[in-house]
Amino acid sequence: MDLPLTAAATAVFLVLAVLFGWLGARPINVLKGPRLVPWRPLMMVCVVALMLMMVHLVNLLGVQTGNPPRY
């Protein structure tokens, strides 16, 4: 993945994580019944993907984040 695509994916995952966190934190409406979408697990999936995209973005900018190779 190149830099613009990684930056766009990072922004999308950030927006989705915030949206899913907001939807999961709303109070339960008993009259509507149970929630059918698991918002909090979806938020956590987006947060994990966001962290991976941030590490990839930093690697594309030239910072080495992994362990140095051992010979």
Side-chain angles (χ1 to χ4, degrees):
M1 290 176 55
D2 56 344
L3 187 64
L5 185 60
T6 303
T10 304
V12 167
F13 283 129
L14 177 66
V15 168
L16 286 177
V18 169
L19 175 69
F20 292 157
W22 176 72
L23 288 172
R26 290 186 304 171
I28 297 173
N29 187 353
V30 180
L31 298 176
K32 282 186 168 181
R35 294 184 191 163
L36 299 179
V37 179
W39 296 114
R40 289 183 180 145
L42 286 174
M43 177 190 66
M44 293 308 298
V45 168
C46 286
V47 167
V48 169
L50 176 64
M51 288 191 301
L52 290 172
M53 287 295 113
M54 287 172 55
V55 169
H56 185 60
L57 187 64
V58 169
N59 283 335
L60 285 176
L61 294 175
V63 178
Q64 183 180 3
T65 57
N67 292 333
R70 297 181 187 180
Y71 297 106

